[in-house]
Amino acid sequence: MSFVEYGDTIKDGDTAIVFLGHESMFPVKVQHGTVTQTKYGVIRHSTDLIGKKYGSKVTCSKGGWVFILHPTPELWTMNLPHRTQILYSTDISIITMMLELKPGSIVCESGTGSGSLSHALIRTVAPTGHLYTVEFHQQRAEKAREEFREHGVEHLVTVTNQDVCKNGFGVSNTADAVFLDIPSPWEAIGHAKSALKAEGGRICSFSPCIEQVQRTCLAMEEYGFTEINTLEILLRVYNVRTISLQIPDLGKAAEDNSSTGFDSSNPSNQGSPCANVQQGTVQFKSGVPLREMVGHTGYLTFATKS
């Protein structure tokens, strides 16, 4: 099993996603002799999972059923154990696009955190690219290495435990892009410039506070970065539902019906447009925004090394 190489069959040691519904799923490490409890009953790894195809419908001991999905960076973002606050797919998608990442790209990241963005970056630059990720916290760095090894992507990532503001990324004139998610990104702009390739490299900084953005932009200008711009991505969900509205009485519909001999009591006419007119309502689909929406997560500041 690998997050960047799809496999058809569930094997011992794989990380799989148990899907109960769009709002209910969780990861599980497949192991011989192990069982997993769900609200629909027990899943026995040896008989219910190992050897089955990903995407299979598995019946639990109580008669309910779940789907077993192959992990992807998007599914992992929704189910990973939180060691820090993470980035979600809304921000990750624009980061990947604006940094102009592709297979073969070299990317530097700080900090690693829970590895949500890291998995997406690895999947984007695979199979020939590489991610250099720096984490200040030793335990989080060790846990990240363990997860990358379990997920079959350790050959695509190098995890370093150090302070990026003092020691940099450990590479020079190599990276196509740099991403910063640290409390004081302005202190790492110089190291980011050194890590980027000679010219044209892209940088992104994620900060929750506008004061951090201001200081980061000043540092970027000081180090000669150009095309500096800041974005805020807000996700607004619409609920598609059926709405019934009354048809206004324009005084002509009744006359048209009588002149054409329309009989609303005839069952064969119940589904016709004239039947809706006679009843005085019409139904149609409409998209209505939810009353509550996800608010501010952070500001994304992008720039180019000139």
Side-chain angles (χ1 to χ4, degrees), residues 16 86-87 109 135 144 168 175 179 193 198 202 210 217 227 236 272:
I86 68 170
L87 290 176
E109 175 198 25
E135 173 57 52
F179 176 79
K193 183 177 181 180
R202 295 279 287 167
I210 195 63
C217 289
E227 299 178 338
R236 190 177 189 187
S272 67

mmCIF file of all heavy atoms in Angstrom, residues 16 86-87 109 135 144 168 175 179 193 198 202 210 217 227 236 272:
data_model
loop_
_atom_site.group_PDB
_atom_site.id
_atom_site.type_symbol
_atom_site.label_atom_id
_atom_site.label_comp_id
_atom_site.label_asym_id
_atom_site.label_seq_id
_atom_site.Cartn_x
_atom_site.Cartn_y
_atom_site.Cartn_z
ATOM 1 N N ALA A 16 -6.000 1.552 5.884
ATOM 2 C CA ALA A 16 -7.228 1.618 5.094
ATOM 3 C C ALA A 16 -8.210 2.576 5.763
ATOM 4 O O ALA A 16 -8.098 2.872 6.956
ATOM 5 C CB ALA A 16 -7.846 0.230 4.948
ATOM 6 N N ILE A 86 -4.342 21.757 11.308
ATOM 7 C CA ILE A 86 -3.936 21.319 9.982
ATOM 8 C C ILE A 86 -4.534 22.202 8.884
ATOM 9 O O ILE A 86 -5.460 22.981 9.126
ATOM 10 C CB ILE A 86 -4.346 19.850 9.727
ATOM 11 C CG1 ILE A 86 -5.877 19.733 9.631
ATOM 12 C CG2 ILE A 86 -3.794 18.935 10.807
ATOM 13 C CD1 ILE A 86 -6.352 18.374 9.142
ATOM 14 N N LEU A 87 -3.988 22.048 7.681
ATOM 15 C CA LEU A 87 -4.573 22.650 6.491
ATOM 16 C C LEU A 87 -5.540 21.659 5.856
ATOM 17 O O LEU A 87 -5.284 20.456 5.829
ATOM 18 C CB LEU A 87 -3.483 23.007 5.477
ATOM 19 C CG LEU A 87 -2.563 24.166 5.848
ATOM 20 C CD1 LEU A 87 -1.479 24.335 4.800
ATOM 21 C CD2 LEU A 87 -3.336 25.458 5.995
ATOM 22 N N GLU A 109 9.313 22.490 2.960
ATOM 23 C CA GLU A 109 8.155 22.793 3.797
ATOM 24 C C GLU A 109 8.580 22.942 5.250
ATOM 25 O O GLU A 109 9.436 22.227 5.732
ATOM 26 C CB GLU A 109 7.123 21.664 3.690
ATOM 27 C CG GLU A 109 5.934 21.825 4.628
ATOM 28 C CD GLU A 109 5.162 20.522 4.822
ATOM 29 O OE1 GLU A 109 5.754 19.438 4.656
ATOM 30 O OE2 GLU A 109 3.971 20.602 5.159
ATOM 31 N N GLU A 135 10.663 20.148 10.827
ATOM 32 C CA GLU A 135 9.786 20.239 11.993
ATOM 33 C C GLU A 135 10.622 20.555 13.222
ATOM 34 O O GLU A 135 11.584 19.853 13.530
ATOM 35 C CB GLU A 135 9.020 18.932 12.185
ATOM 36 C CG GLU A 135 8.203 18.849 13.463
ATOM 37 C CD GLU A 135 7.187 19.977 13.594
ATOM 38 O OE1 GLU A 135 6.401 20.190 12.656
ATOM 39 O OE2 GLU A 135 7.215 20.662 14.647
ATOM 40 N N ALA A 144 6.146 11.870 12.218
ATOM 41 C CA ALA A 144 5.979 12.087 10.775
ATOM 42 C C ALA A 144 6.798 11.074 9.980
ATOM 43 O O ALA A 144 6.317 10.508 8.988
ATOM 44 C CB ALA A 144 6.388 13.511 10.410
ATOM 45 N N GLY A 168 17.676 26.886 8.561
ATOM 46 C CA GLY A 168 17.227 26.723 7.182
ATOM 47 C C GLY A 168 16.671 25.336 6.892
ATOM 48 O O GLY A 168 16.296 24.581 7.793
ATOM 49 N N ALA A 175 15.323 24.060 -4.605
ATOM 50 C CA ALA A 175 13.863 23.910 -4.550
ATOM 51 C C ALA A 175 13.151 24.721 -5.628
ATOM 52 O O ALA A 175 13.565 25.836 -5.967
ATOM 53 C CB ALA A 175 13.349 24.314 -3.171
ATOM 54 N N PHE A 179 7.209 26.315 1.186
ATOM 55 C CA PHE A 179 5.989 26.613 1.927
ATOM 56 C C PHE A 179 6.326 26.804 3.399
ATOM 57 O O PHE A 179 7.044 25.993 3.991
ATOM 58 C CB PHE A 179 4.968 25.481 1.792
ATOM 59 C CG PHE A 179 3.731 25.715 2.613
ATOM 60 C CD1 PHE A 179 2.739 26.573 2.160
ATOM 61 C CD2 PHE A 179 3.557 25.097 3.846
ATOM 62 C CE1 PHE A 179 1.609 26.812 2.919
ATOM 63 C CE2 PHE A 179 2.433 25.321 4.605
ATOM 64 C CZ PHE A 179 1.450 26.184 4.141
ATOM 65 N N LYS A 193 14.871 31.897 0.461
ATOM 66 C CA LYS A 193 15.506 32.381 -0.763
ATOM 67 C C LYS A 193 16.744 31.553 -1.100
ATOM 68 O O LYS A 193 16.995 31.238 -2.272
ATOM 69 C CB LYS A 193 15.884 33.856 -0.606
ATOM 70 C CG LYS A 193 16.496 34.462 -1.860
ATOM 71 C CD LYS A 193 16.793 35.941 -1.680
ATOM 72 C CE LYS A 193 17.383 36.536 -2.959
ATOM 73 N NZ LYS A 193 17.681 37.985 -2.819
ATOM 74 N N ALA A 198 17.838 29.250 -8.718
ATOM 75 C CA ALA A 198 18.445 30.552 -9.024
ATOM 76 C C ALA A 198 17.412 31.630 -9.288
ATOM 77 O O ALA A 198 17.530 32.751 -8.788
ATOM 78 C CB ALA A 198 19.388 30.416 -10.214
ATOM 79 N N ARG A 202 8.944 29.710 -6.422
ATOM 80 C CA ARG A 202 7.765 30.283 -5.780
ATOM 81 C C ARG A 202 7.788 30.000 -4.273
ATOM 82 O O ARG A 202 8.300 28.973 -3.812
ATOM 83 C CB ARG A 202 6.492 29.691 -6.380
ATOM 84 C CG ARG A 202 6.284 30.043 -7.841
ATOM 85 C CD ARG A 202 5.691 31.429 -7.996
ATOM 86 N NE ARG A 202 4.286 31.421 -7.596
ATOM 87 C CZ ARG A 202 3.569 32.536 -7.385
ATOM 88 N NH1 ARG A 202 4.142 33.728 -7.483
ATOM 89 N NH2 ARG A 202 2.299 32.459 -7.051
ATOM 90 N N ILE A 210 -3.297 38.950 10.291
ATOM 91 C CA ILE A 210 -2.894 39.904 9.253
ATOM 92 C C ILE A 210 -1.589 40.606 9.631
ATOM 93 O O ILE A 210 -0.821 41.019 8.755
ATOM 94 C CB ILE A 210 -4.027 40.932 8.997
ATOM 95 C CG1 ILE A 210 -3.783 41.690 7.693
ATOM 96 C CG2 ILE A 210 -4.177 41.872 10.181
ATOM 97 C CD1 ILE A 210 -3.803 40.827 6.459
ATOM 98 N N CYS A 217 5.356 40.186 4.252
ATOM 99 C CA CYS A 217 5.436 40.907 2.976
ATOM 100 C C CYS A 217 6.622 41.879 2.974
ATOM 101 O O CYS A 217 7.318 42.019 1.951
ATOM 102 C CB CYS A 217 4.135 41.649 2.710
ATOM 103 S SG CYS A 217 2.744 40.581 2.295
ATOM 104 N N GLU A 227 5.970 39.910 -7.347
ATOM 105 C CA GLU A 227 4.622 39.347 -7.517
ATOM 106 C C GLU A 227 4.033 38.909 -6.169
ATOM 107 O O GLU A 227 3.424 37.842 -6.052
ATOM 108 C CB GLU A 227 4.641 38.161 -8.484
ATOM 109 C CG GLU A 227 5.123 38.524 -9.883
ATOM 110 C CD GLU A 227 5.167 37.315 -10.811
ATOM 111 O OE1 GLU A 227 5.237 36.167 -10.300
ATOM 112 O OE2 GLU A 227 5.135 37.505 -12.033
ATOM 113 N N ARG A 236 -17.978 28.263 0.700
ATOM 114 C CA ARG A 236 -19.404 28.504 0.915
ATOM 115 C C ARG A 236 -20.195 27.364 0.283
ATOM 116 O O ARG A 236 -20.168 27.176 -0.935
ATOM 117 C CB ARG A 236 -19.832 29.838 0.303
ATOM 118 C CG ARG A 236 -21.246 30.257 0.693
ATOM 119 C CD ARG A 236 -21.603 31.621 0.137
ATOM 120 N NE ARG A 236 -22.860 32.104 0.689
ATOM 121 C CZ ARG A 236 -23.488 33.208 0.279
ATOM 122 N NH1 ARG A 236 -22.943 33.945 -0.679
ATOM 123 N NH2 ARG A 236 -24.621 33.580 0.821
ATOM 124 N N SER A 272 -49.495 17.005 -16.545
ATOM 125 C CA SER A 272 -49.235 18.003 -17.587
ATOM 126 C C SER A 272 -48.939 19.364 -16.982
ATOM 127 O O SER A 272 -49.306 19.645 -15.841
ATOM 128 C CB SER A 272 -50.450 18.117 -18.512
ATOM 129 O OG SER A 272 -51.550 18.664 -17.802
#
